[in-house]
Amino acid sequence: MIVCVNDGQKELIVKRSRFIAISRHIETRDDVKPFIDGLKTEHTLARHICYGYIADEKGDDFGYDDNGEPTGTAGKPIYSALAAAEARKTCIAVVRYFGGIKLGAGGLTRAYRQSAADLISEVGVSRAQKHTVCEISCSNEAYKRVNGVLRGLNGTVEQIRYEKDVTCTALVTAEKMPELTKALEALKVDYKIIGERYVAV
């Protein structure tokens, strides 16, 4: 079980500079670049888009970027706000529109950290549990039994395709996966594990 910052956005004004903090759930550090690239496309007139993230369960896989602000004044304070909240699998970016008044290194550090901390306070956090994602293929008749097994394990079906056979993508908590595996093998249906994901509970 981990804690993730909920997705959201909050704006802070400091001496006419706008600091727009935006949070996103990430599964790995590879999710960070598409998130930031999307913000760059959306905020083409922003002076800086700085960020911090924690991408793993333990807090060991983290990073930050000052994006042209003085070293240590932007990305690290954002990361520090995430660390203080003990958040995981989360990236916070802060988009800055310069207001014409320089804030100095201390002012920048305070503004970026406050922007991230205020966002966390505003949108809150959710507990998330590791789930195994598997793809299941079976006949229509067998799917009725598979669906019953999934319900009994508090699993969820994300996608389902009805063709000659039924193919679905299902999620169950990691600790319940052995039980699901045993049931699927007893029903003689095809399945494969395609990954893991944290899901809010």
Side-chain angles (χ1 to χ4, degrees), residues 84-106:
E86 298 184 343
R88 301 291 185 263
K89 299 278 188 177
T90 302
C91 179
I92 291 180
V94 178
V95 179
R96 183 190 179 194
Y97 286 87
F98 183 54
I101 300 173
K102 291 185 177 181
L103 303 182

Side-chain angles (χ1 to χ4, degrees), residues 61-176:
D61 185 5
F62 63 88
Y64 42 82
D65 191 325
D66 295 315
N67 191 227
E69 294 281 32
T71 301
T73 63
K76 193 169 184 178
I78 297 168
Y79 159 75
S80 295
L82 281 169
E86 298 184 343
R88 301 291 185 263
K89 299 278 188 177
T90 302
C91 179
I92 291 180
V94 178
V95 179
R96 183 190 179 194
Y97 286 87
F98 183 54
I101 300 173
K102 291 185 177 181
L103 303 182
L108 282 172
T109 301
R110 288 189 295 274
Y112 277 104
R113 193 180 195 292
Q114 182 184 345
S115 185
D118 285 356
L119 172 64
I120 294 170
S121 178
E122 173 90 6
V123 301
V125 299
S126 294
R127 297 179 72 78
Q129 192 169 14
K130 185 185 285 187
H131 283 62
T132 300
V133 186
C134 62
E135 187 176 82
I136 302 168
S137 297
C138 59
S139 67
N140 277 284
E141 188 60 35
Y143 178 71
K144 295 174 185 176
R145 295 192 290 275
V146 168
N147 200 28
V149 170
L150 287 168
R151 282 200 306 270
L153 297 174
N154 293 320
T156 57
V157 175
E158 274 196 337
Q159 298 175 348
I160 183 165
R161 297 193 307 276
Y162 292 96
E163 295 170 343
K164 181 180 178 182
D165 290 326
V166 178
T167 302
C168 70
T169 303
L171 286 81
V172 295
T173 57
E175 60 265 25
K176 290 184 178 177

Side-chain angles (χ1 to χ4, degrees), residues 149 152-153 174-184:
V149 170
L153 297 174
E175 60 265 25
K176 290 184 178 177
M177 189 59 201
E179 194 175 342
L180 176 61
T181 298
K182 185 177 179 180
L184 293 177

